[in-house]
mmCIF file of all heavy atoms in Angstrom:
data_model
loop_
_atom_site.group_PDB
_atom_site.id
_atom_site.type_symbol
_atom_site.label_atom_id
_atom_site.label_comp_id
_atom_site.label_asym_id
_atom_site.label_seq_id
_atom_site.Cartn_x
_atom_site.Cartn_y
_atom_site.Cartn_z
ATOM 1 N N HIS B 294 22.205 3.726 -20.339
ATOM 2 C CA HIS B 294 20.800 3.962 -20.690
ATOM 3 C C HIS B 294 20.197 5.098 -19.871
ATOM 4 O O HIS B 294 19.032 5.050 -19.474
ATOM 5 C CB HIS B 294 19.969 2.697 -20.510
ATOM 6 C CG HIS B 294 20.562 1.511 -21.208
ATOM 7 N ND1 HIS B 294 21.131 1.607 -22.458
ATOM 8 C CD2 HIS B 294 20.706 0.229 -20.823
ATOM 9 C CE1 HIS B 294 21.577 0.411 -22.810
ATOM 10 N NE2 HIS B 294 21.343 -0.436 -21.832
ATOM 11 N N GLY B 295 20.994 6.105 -19.556
ATOM 12 C CA GLY B 295 20.482 7.277 -18.861
ATOM 13 C C GLY B 295 20.188 7.087 -17.387
ATOM 14 O O GLY B 295 19.694 7.991 -16.736
ATOM 15 N N THR B 296 20.516 5.908 -16.854
ATOM 16 C CA THR B 296 20.264 5.716 -15.424
ATOM 17 C C THR B 296 21.463 6.213 -14.624
ATOM 18 O O THR B 296 22.597 6.106 -15.086
ATOM 19 C CB THR B 296 20.072 4.218 -15.099
ATOM 20 O OG1 THR B 296 21.242 3.521 -15.576
ATOM 21 C CG2 THR B 296 18.835 3.668 -15.783
ATOM 22 N N PRO B 297 21.228 6.753 -13.436
ATOM 23 C CA PRO B 297 22.354 7.242 -12.631
ATOM 24 C C PRO B 297 23.273 6.094 -12.225
ATOM 25 O O PRO B 297 22.821 4.971 -12.056
ATOM 26 C CB PRO B 297 21.684 7.856 -11.401
ATOM 27 C CG PRO B 297 20.311 7.291 -11.367
ATOM 28 C CD PRO B 297 19.948 6.967 -12.771
ATOM 29 N N PRO B 298 24.604 6.367 -12.138
ATOM 30 C CA PRO B 298 25.568 5.314 -11.817
ATOM 31 C C PRO B 298 25.223 4.582 -10.521
ATOM 32 O O PRO B 298 25.416 3.391 -10.403
ATOM 33 C CB PRO B 298 26.895 6.065 -11.651
ATOM 34 C CG PRO B 298 26.669 7.456 -12.104
ATOM 35 C CD PRO B 298 25.204 7.687 -12.254
ATOM 36 N N GLU B 299 24.643 5.317 -9.578
ATOM 37 C CA GLU B 299 24.336 4.726 -8.260
ATOM 38 C C GLU B 299 23.400 3.537 -8.336
ATOM 39 O O GLU B 299 23.319 2.754 -7.409
ATOM 40 C CB GLU B 299 23.709 5.757 -7.326
ATOM 41 C CG GLU B 299 24.695 6.760 -6.747
ATOM 42 C CD GLU B 299 25.225 7.694 -7.812
ATOM 43 O OE1 GLU B 299 24.547 7.882 -8.842
ATOM 44 O OE2 GLU B 299 26.333 8.193 -7.630
ATOM 45 N N THR B 300 22.648 3.420 -9.432
ATOM 46 C CA THR B 300 21.602 2.394 -9.430
ATOM 47 C C THR B 300 22.141 0.976 -9.608
ATOM 48 O O THR B 300 21.380 0.034 -9.579
ATOM 49 C CB THR B 300 20.565 2.647 -10.547
ATOM 50 O OG1 THR B 300 21.269 2.683 -11.785
ATOM 51 C CG2 THR B 300 19.836 3.950 -10.318
ATOM 52 N N PHE B 301 23.446 0.829 -9.811
ATOM 53 C CA PHE B 301 23.985 -0.521 -9.946
ATOM 54 C C PHE B 301 24.910 -0.871 -8.789
ATOM 55 O O PHE B 301 25.604 -0.023 -8.250
ATOM 56 C CB PHE B 301 24.739 -0.682 -11.269
ATOM 57 C CG PHE B 301 23.837 -0.492 -12.474
ATOM 58 C CD1 PHE B 301 24.154 0.439 -13.450
ATOM 59 C CD2 PHE B 301 22.669 -1.217 -12.594
ATOM 60 C CE1 PHE B 301 23.318 0.615 -14.542
ATOM 61 C CE2 PHE B 301 21.828 -1.044 -13.685
ATOM 62 C CZ PHE B 301 22.159 -0.128 -14.656
ATOM 63 N N ALA B 302 24.887 -2.156 -8.404
ATOM 64 C CA ALA B 302 25.810 -2.644 -7.375
ATOM 65 C C ALA B 302 26.946 -3.375 -8.076
ATOM 66 O O ALA B 302 26.737 -4.017 -9.101
ATOM 67 C CB ALA B 302 25.080 -3.591 -6.430
ATOM 68 N N ARG B 303 28.151 -3.248 -7.534
ATOM 69 C CA ARG B 303 29.315 -3.863 -8.163
ATOM 70 C C ARG B 303 29.897 -4.987 -7.340
ATOM 71 O O ARG B 303 29.939 -4.904 -6.114
ATOM 72 C CB ARG B 303 30.401 -2.807 -8.408
ATOM 73 C CG ARG B 303 30.211 -2.095 -9.735
ATOM 74 C CD ARG B 303 31.433 -1.250 -10.067
ATOM 75 N NE ARG B 303 31.041 0.157 -10.126
ATOM 76 C CZ ARG B 303 31.361 1.051 -9.217
ATOM 77 N NH1 ARG B 303 32.077 0.705 -8.171
ATOM 78 N NH2 ARG B 303 30.970 2.278 -9.341
ATOM 79 N N LEU B 304 30.324 -6.040 -7.999
ATOM 80 C CA LEU B 304 31.153 -7.016 -7.301
ATOM 81 C C LEU B 304 32.330 -7.382 -8.203
ATOM 82 O O LEU B 304 32.232 -7.309 -9.423
ATOM 83 C CB LEU B 304 30.369 -8.253 -6.879
ATOM 84 C CG LEU B 304 29.632 -9.096 -7.896
ATOM 85 C CD1 LEU B 304 29.372 -10.473 -7.304
ATOM 86 C CD2 LEU B 304 28.294 -8.475 -8.252
ATOM 87 N N THR B 305 33.443 -7.721 -7.566
ATOM 88 C CA THR B 305 34.670 -7.988 -8.307
ATOM 89 C C THR B 305 35.054 -9.443 -8.147
ATOM 90 O O THR B 305 35.084 -9.959 -7.040
ATOM 91 C CB THR B 305 35.802 -7.078 -7.797
ATOM 92 O OG1 THR B 305 35.367 -5.724 -7.903
ATOM 93 C CG2 THR B 305 37.051 -7.266 -8.628
ATOM 94 N N VAL B 306 35.320 -10.087 -9.270
ATOM 95 C CA VAL B 306 35.638 -11.514 -9.269
ATOM 96 C C VAL B 306 37.039 -11.725 -9.830
ATOM 97 O O VAL B 306 37.423 -11.094 -10.824
ATOM 98 C CB VAL B 306 34.618 -12.295 -10.118
ATOM 99 C CG1 VAL B 306 34.936 -13.789 -10.098
ATOM 100 C CG2 VAL B 306 33.198 -12.036 -9.613
ATOM 101 N N LEU B 307 37.798 -12.605 -9.187
ATOM 102 C CA LEU B 307 39.150 -12.936 -9.619
ATOM 103 C C LEU B 307 39.076 -13.914 -10.792
ATOM 104 O O LEU B 307 38.379 -14.931 -10.710
ATOM 105 C CB LEU B 307 39.887 -13.595 -8.446
ATOM 106 C CG LEU B 307 41.376 -13.397 -8.313
ATOM 107 C CD1 LEU B 307 41.680 -11.928 -8.059
ATOM 108 C CD2 LEU B 307 41.879 -14.223 -7.137
ATOM 109 N N VAL B 308 39.743 -13.583 -11.911
ATOM 110 C CA VAL B 308 39.739 -14.511 -13.049
ATOM 111 C C VAL B 308 41.157 -14.772 -13.535
ATOM 112 O O VAL B 308 41.959 -13.849 -13.641
ATOM 113 C CB VAL B 308 38.904 -13.947 -14.226
ATOM 114 C CG1 VAL B 308 37.429 -14.023 -13.930
ATOM 115 C CG2 VAL B 308 39.306 -12.514 -14.550
ATOM 116 N N ASP B 309 41.446 -16.042 -13.815
ATOM 117 C CA ASP B 309 42.746 -16.366 -14.415
ATOM 118 C C ASP B 309 42.751 -15.825 -15.827
ATOM 119 O O ASP B 309 41.736 -15.822 -16.500
ATOM 120 C CB ASP B 309 42.958 -17.884 -14.443
ATOM 121 C CG ASP B 309 43.046 -18.442 -13.031
ATOM 122 O OD1 ASP B 309 43.351 -17.644 -12.120
ATOM 123 O OD2 ASP B 309 42.764 -19.631 -12.848
ATOM 124 N N ASP B 310 43.939 -15.386 -16.257
ATOM 125 C CA ASP B 310 44.047 -14.788 -17.571
ATOM 126 C C ASP B 310 44.349 -15.856 -18.626
ATOM 127 O O ASP B 310 45.412 -15.873 -19.221
ATOM 128 C CB ASP B 310 45.150 -13.731 -17.547
ATOM 129 C CG ASP B 310 45.198 -12.972 -18.855
ATOM 130 O OD1 ASP B 310 44.181 -12.989 -19.567
ATOM 131 O OD2 ASP B 310 46.253 -12.392 -19.146
ATOM 132 N N VAL B 311 43.411 -16.782 -18.816
ATOM 133 C CA VAL B 311 43.562 -17.813 -19.846
ATOM 134 C C VAL B 311 42.303 -17.806 -20.708
ATOM 135 O O VAL B 311 41.240 -17.390 -20.249
ATOM 136 C CB VAL B 311 43.769 -19.222 -19.216
ATOM 137 C CG1 VAL B 311 45.025 -19.237 -18.366
ATOM 138 C CG2 VAL B 311 42.560 -19.612 -18.374
ATOM 139 N N PRO B 312 42.420 -18.258 -21.973
ATOM 140 C CA PRO B 312 41.251 -18.201 -22.858
ATOM 141 C C PRO B 312 40.026 -18.859 -22.227
ATOM 142 O O PRO B 312 40.120 -19.898 -21.585
ATOM 143 C CB PRO B 312 41.719 -18.988 -24.095
ATOM 144 C CG PRO B 312 43.202 -18.841 -24.093
ATOM 145 C CD PRO B 312 43.595 -18.827 -22.645
ATOM 146 N N GLY B 313 38.888 -18.245 -22.370
ATOM 147 C CA GLY B 313 37.638 -18.865 -21.949
ATOM 148 C C GLY B 313 37.232 -18.617 -20.504
ATOM 149 O O GLY B 313 36.088 -18.859 -20.128
ATOM 150 N N GLN B 314 38.177 -18.111 -19.688
ATOM 151 C CA GLN B 314 37.849 -17.908 -18.268
ATOM 152 C C GLN B 314 36.686 -16.929 -18.083
ATOM 153 O O GLN B 314 35.721 -17.221 -17.386
ATOM 154 C CB GLN B 314 39.076 -17.374 -17.522
ATOM 155 C CG GLN B 314 39.943 -18.467 -16.942
ATOM 156 C CD GLN B 314 39.208 -19.274 -15.893
ATOM 157 O OE1 GLN B 314 38.774 -18.761 -14.875
ATOM 158 N NE2 GLN B 314 39.016 -20.551 -16.182
ATOM 159 N N ILE B 315 36.811 -15.771 -18.726
ATOM 160 C CA ILE B 315 35.771 -14.752 -18.559
ATOM 161 C C ILE B 315 34.478 -15.230 -19.208
ATOM 162 O O ILE B 315 33.389 -15.015 -18.689
ATOM 163 C CB ILE B 315 36.253 -13.423 -19.161
ATOM 164 C CG1 ILE B 315 37.443 -12.931 -18.344
ATOM 165 C CG2 ILE B 315 35.142 -12.385 -19.143
ATOM 166 C CD1 ILE B 315 38.176 -11.795 -18.950
ATOM 167 N N ALA B 316 34.636 -15.951 -20.308
ATOM 168 C CA ALA B 316 33.447 -16.516 -20.955
ATOM 169 C C ALA B 316 32.727 -17.445 -19.983
ATOM 170 O O ALA B 316 31.514 -17.374 -19.813
ATOM 171 C CB ALA B 316 33.861 -17.277 -22.210
ATOM 172 N N ARG B 317 33.510 -18.303 -19.314
ATOM 173 C CA ARG B 317 32.907 -19.259 -18.374
ATOM 174 C C ARG B 317 32.180 -18.488 -17.265
ATOM 175 O O ARG B 317 31.037 -18.800 -16.930
ATOM 176 C CB ARG B 317 34.003 -20.149 -17.775
ATOM 177 C CG ARG B 317 33.466 -21.307 -16.945
ATOM 178 C CD ARG B 317 34.552 -22.339 -16.644
ATOM 179 N NE ARG B 317 35.539 -21.853 -15.684
ATOM 180 C CZ ARG B 317 35.325 -21.820 -14.358
ATOM 181 N NH1 ARG B 317 34.177 -22.224 -13.857
ATOM 182 N NH2 ARG B 317 36.268 -21.371 -13.544
ATOM 183 N N LEU B 318 32.846 -17.444 -16.752
ATOM 184 C CA LEU B 318 32.229 -16.647 -15.688
ATOM 185 C C LEU B 318 30.898 -16.059 -16.158
ATOM 186 O O LEU B 318 29.871 -16.208 -15.503
ATOM 187 C CB LEU B 318 33.184 -15.517 -15.283
ATOM 188 C CG LEU B 318 32.611 -14.448 -14.332
ATOM 189 C CD1 LEU B 318 32.272 -15.066 -12.977
ATOM 190 C CD2 LEU B 318 33.583 -13.296 -14.156
ATOM 191 N N LEU B 319 30.929 -15.446 -17.338
ATOM 192 C CA LEU B 319 29.716 -14.765 -17.799
ATOM 193 C C LEU B 319 28.642 -15.760 -18.215
ATOM 194 O O LEU B 319 27.454 -15.474 -18.118
ATOM 195 C CB LEU B 319 30.063 -13.820 -18.949
ATOM 196 C CG LEU B 319 31.029 -12.697 -18.566
ATOM 197 C CD1 LEU B 319 31.130 -11.678 -19.672
ATOM 198 C CD2 LEU B 319 30.604 -12.025 -17.271
ATOM 199 N N THR B 320 29.067 -16.933 -18.668
ATOM 200 C CA THR B 320 28.082 -17.961 -18.995
ATOM 201 C C THR B 320 27.319 -18.342 -17.732
ATOM 202 O O THR B 320 26.097 -18.409 -17.715
ATOM 203 C CB THR B 320 28.781 -19.221 -19.566
ATOM 204 O OG1 THR B 320 29.582 -18.821 -20.665
ATOM 205 C CG2 THR B 320 27.744 -20.236 -20.009
ATOM 206 N N GLU B 321 28.084 -18.544 -16.635
ATOM 207 C CA GLU B 321 27.440 -18.935 -15.378
ATOM 208 C C GLU B 321 26.542 -17.816 -14.858
ATOM 209 O O GLU B 321 25.458 -18.071 -14.331
ATOM 210 C CB GLU B 321 28.507 -19.339 -14.358
ATOM 211 C CG GLU B 321 29.299 -20.540 -14.835
ATOM 212 C CD GLU B 321 30.225 -21.128 -13.779
ATOM 213 O OE1 GLU B 321 30.160 -20.723 -12.596
ATOM 214 O OE2 GLU B 321 31.001 -22.018 -14.138
ATOM 215 N N ILE B 322 26.980 -16.569 -15.048
ATOM 216 C CA ILE B 322 26.114 -15.452 -14.661
ATOM 217 C C ILE B 322 24.855 -15.467 -15.517
ATOM 218 O O ILE B 322 23.732 -15.329 -15.026
ATOM 219 C CB ILE B 322 26.851 -14.100 -14.816
ATOM 220 C CG1 ILE B 322 27.998 -13.997 -13.820
ATOM 221 C CG2 ILE B 322 25.871 -12.937 -14.619
ATOM 222 C CD1 ILE B 322 28.871 -12.770 -14.010
ATOM 223 N N GLY B 323 25.054 -15.723 -16.818
ATOM 224 C CA GLY B 323 23.913 -15.780 -17.729
ATOM 225 C C GLY B 323 22.915 -16.853 -17.299
ATOM 226 O O GLY B 323 21.700 -16.658 -17.366
ATOM 227 N N ASP B 324 23.446 -17.984 -16.820
ATOM 228 C CA ASP B 324 22.575 -19.086 -16.385
ATOM 229 C C ASP B 324 21.642 -18.655 -15.262
ATOM 230 O O ASP B 324 20.524 -19.148 -15.139
ATOM 231 C CB ASP B 324 23.424 -20.274 -15.909
ATOM 232 C CG ASP B 324 24.213 -20.896 -17.063
ATOM 233 O OD1 ASP B 324 23.874 -20.578 -18.219
ATOM 234 O OD2 ASP B 324 25.162 -21.655 -16.801
ATOM 235 N N THR B 325 22.105 -17.697 -14.433
ATOM 236 C CA THR B 325 21.264 -17.275 -13.301
ATOM 237 C C THR B 325 20.110 -16.387 -13.774
ATOM 238 O O THR B 325 19.178 -16.139 -13.039
ATOM 239 C CB THR B 325 22.079 -16.430 -12.287
ATOM 240 O OG1 THR B 325 22.457 -15.209 -12.955
ATOM 241 C CG2 THR B 325 23.320 -17.167 -11.833
ATOM 242 N N GLY B 326 20.210 -15.916 -15.019
ATOM 243 C CA GLY B 326 19.161 -15.023 -15.513
ATOM 244 C C GLY B 326 19.341 -13.599 -15.001
ATOM 245 O O GLY B 326 18.556 -12.707 -15.298
ATOM 246 N N ILE B 327 20.403 -13.376 -14.216
ATOM 247 C CA ILE B 327 20.689 -12.018 -13.734
ATOM 248 C C ILE B 327 21.377 -11.244 -14.853
ATOM 249 O O ILE B 327 22.349 -11.727 -15.435
ATOM 250 C CB ILE B 327 21.602 -12.060 -12.482
ATOM 251 C CG1 ILE B 327 20.887 -12.761 -11.331
ATOM 252 C CG2 ILE B 327 22.026 -10.647 -12.083
ATOM 253 C CD1 ILE B 327 21.776 -12.982 -10.116
ATOM 254 N N ASN B 328 20.861 -10.065 -15.179
ATOM 255 C CA ASN B 328 21.453 -9.305 -16.275
ATOM 256 C C ASN B 328 22.714 -8.575 -15.840
ATOM 257 O O ASN B 328 22.742 -7.922 -14.797
ATOM 258 C CB ASN B 328 20.463 -8.296 -16.859
ATOM 259 C CG ASN B 328 20.962 -7.749 -18.197
ATOM 260 O OD1 ASN B 328 21.764 -8.408 -18.864
ATOM 261 N ND2 ASN B 328 20.509 -6.573 -18.568
ATOM 262 N N LEU B 329 23.748 -8.732 -16.646
ATOM 263 C CA LEU B 329 25.005 -8.031 -16.425
ATOM 264 C C LEU B 329 24.799 -6.591 -16.906
ATOM 265 O O LEU B 329 24.627 -6.354 -18.088
ATOM 266 C CB LEU B 329 26.070 -8.729 -17.266
ATOM 267 C CG LEU B 329 27.510 -8.270 -17.142
ATOM 268 C CD1 LEU B 329 28.071 -8.711 -15.807
ATOM 269 C CD2 LEU B 329 28.311 -8.897 -18.277
ATOM 270 N N GLU B 330 24.792 -5.644 -15.988
ATOM 271 C CA GLU B 330 24.539 -4.250 -16.378
ATOM 272 C C GLU B 330 25.800 -3.605 -16.935
ATOM 273 O O GLU B 330 25.754 -2.753 -17.806
ATOM 274 C CB GLU B 330 24.021 -3.453 -15.185
ATOM 275 C CG GLU B 330 22.719 -3.999 -14.602
ATOM 276 C CD GLU B 330 21.560 -3.913 -15.576
ATOM 277 O OE1 GLU B 330 21.675 -3.216 -16.596
ATOM 278 O OE2 GLU B 330 20.532 -4.581 -15.323
ATOM 279 N N ASP B 331 26.926 -3.999 -16.386
ATOM 280 C CA ASP B 331 28.183 -3.494 -16.919
ATOM 281 C C ASP B 331 29.310 -4.420 -16.484
ATOM 282 O O ASP B 331 29.160 -5.204 -15.549
ATOM 283 C CB ASP B 331 28.464 -2.064 -16.449
ATOM 284 C CG ASP B 331 29.332 -1.309 -17.462
ATOM 285 O OD1 ASP B 331 29.911 -1.974 -18.354
ATOM 286 O OD2 ASP B 331 29.414 -0.082 -17.366
ATOM 287 N N LEU B 332 30.417 -4.316 -17.209
ATOM 288 C CA LEU B 332 31.550 -5.184 -16.916
ATOM 289 C C LEU B 332 32.814 -4.437 -17.242
ATOM 290 O O LEU B 332 32.879 -3.742 -18.253
ATOM 291 C CB LEU B 332 31.473 -6.449 -17.800
ATOM 292 C CG LEU B 332 32.730 -7.334 -17.815
ATOM 293 C CD1 LEU B 332 32.852 -8.090 -16.509
ATOM 294 C CD2 LEU B 332 32.676 -8.298 -18.986
ATOM 295 N N ARG B 333 33.803 -4.534 -16.356
ATOM 296 C CA ARG B 333 35.121 -4.055 -16.786
ATOM 297 C C ARG B 333 36.197 -4.953 -16.207
ATOM 298 O O ARG B 333 36.062 -5.473 -15.110
ATOM 299 C CB ARG B 333 35.349 -2.578 -16.473
ATOM 300 C CG ARG B 333 35.668 -2.223 -15.070
ATOM 301 C CD ARG B 333 35.948 -0.719 -15.022
ATOM 302 N NE ARG B 333 37.208 -0.407 -15.689
ATOM 303 C CZ ARG B 333 37.539 0.807 -16.108
ATOM 304 N NH1 ARG B 333 36.686 1.791 -15.966
ATOM 305 N NH2 ARG B 333 38.700 1.036 -16.672
ATOM 306 N N LEU B 334 37.230 -5.151 -17.025
ATOM 307 C CA LEU B 334 38.338 -5.982 -16.587
ATOM 308 C C LEU B 334 39.426 -5.078 -16.036
ATOM 309 O O LEU B 334 39.797 -4.093 -16.645
ATOM 310 C CB LEU B 334 38.888 -6.797 -17.764
ATOM 311 C CG LEU B 334 37.909 -7.801 -18.366
ATOM 312 C CD1 LEU B 334 38.603 -8.599 -19.459
ATOM 313 C CD2 LEU B 334 37.375 -8.715 -17.293
ATOM 314 N N GLU B 335 39.910 -5.422 -14.852
ATOM 315 C CA GLU B 335 41.007 -4.672 -14.251
ATOM 316 C C GLU B 335 42.198 -5.615 -14.236
ATOM 317 O O GLU B 335 42.154 -6.664 -13.607
ATOM 318 C CB GLU B 335 40.595 -4.273 -12.839
ATOM 319 C CG GLU B 335 41.566 -3.374 -12.117
ATOM 320 C CD GLU B 335 41.022 -3.023 -10.732
ATOM 321 O OE1 GLU B 335 39.862 -2.578 -10.650
ATOM 322 O OE2 GLU B 335 41.745 -3.245 -9.760
ATOM 323 N N HIS B 336 43.204 -5.278 -15.022
ATOM 324 C CA HIS B 336 44.349 -6.174 -15.110
ATOM 325 C C HIS B 336 45.440 -5.769 -14.145
ATOM 326 O O HIS B 336 45.625 -4.595 -13.862
ATOM 327 C CB HIS B 336 44.883 -6.211 -16.537
ATOM 328 C CG HIS B 336 43.929 -6.888 -17.460
ATOM 329 N ND1 HIS B 336 43.645 -8.215 -17.357
ATOM 330 C CD2 HIS B 336 43.156 -6.407 -18.460
ATOM 331 C CE1 HIS B 336 42.766 -8.537 -18.276
ATOM 332 N NE2 HIS B 336 42.446 -7.448 -18.952
ATOM 333 N N SER B 337 46.139 -6.764 -13.642
ATOM 334 C CA SER B 337 47.173 -6.483 -12.652
ATOM 335 C C SER B 337 48.530 -6.586 -13.322
ATOM 336 O O SER B 337 48.711 -7.383 -14.229
ATOM 337 C CB SER B 337 47.076 -7.520 -11.547
ATOM 338 O OG SER B 337 47.169 -8.804 -12.134
ATOM 339 N N PRO B 338 49.460 -5.749 -12.870
ATOM 340 C CA PRO B 338 50.771 -5.757 -13.504
ATOM 341 C C PRO B 338 51.461 -7.095 -13.288
ATOM 342 O O PRO B 338 51.287 -7.713 -12.253
ATOM 343 C CB PRO B 338 51.515 -4.640 -12.786
ATOM 344 C CG PRO B 338 50.838 -4.520 -11.463
ATOM 345 C CD PRO B 338 49.402 -4.876 -11.710
ATOM 346 N N GLU B 339 52.193 -7.566 -14.280
ATOM 347 C CA GLU B 339 53.073 -8.734 -14.166
ATOM 348 C C GLU B 339 52.359 -10.068 -13.976
ATOM 349 O O GLU B 339 52.744 -11.069 -14.535
ATOM 350 C CB GLU B 339 54.088 -8.532 -13.020
ATOM 351 C CG GLU B 339 55.029 -7.351 -13.292
ATOM 352 C CD GLU B 339 55.739 -6.847 -12.035
ATOM 353 O OE1 GLU B 339 56.220 -7.673 -11.248
ATOM 354 O OE2 GLU B 339 55.776 -5.613 -11.856
#
Side-chain angles (χ1 to χ4, degrees):
Chain B
H294 308 320
T296 56
E299 284 69 24
T300 57
F301 297 125
R303 273 191 243 108
L304 58 160
T305 304
V306 181
L307 212 64
V308 287
D309 295 339
D310 186 21
V311 299
Q314 269 297 299
I315 295 169
R317 189 167 71 79
L318 171 65
L319 298 190
T320 305
E321 298 189 9
I322 293 173
D324 294 345
T325 65
I327 296 173
N328 193 24
L329 185 72
E330 300 296 346
D331 208 346
L332 168 74
R333 77 176 290 162
L334 296 184
E335 186 179 309
H336 291 293
S337 56
E339 296 162 44

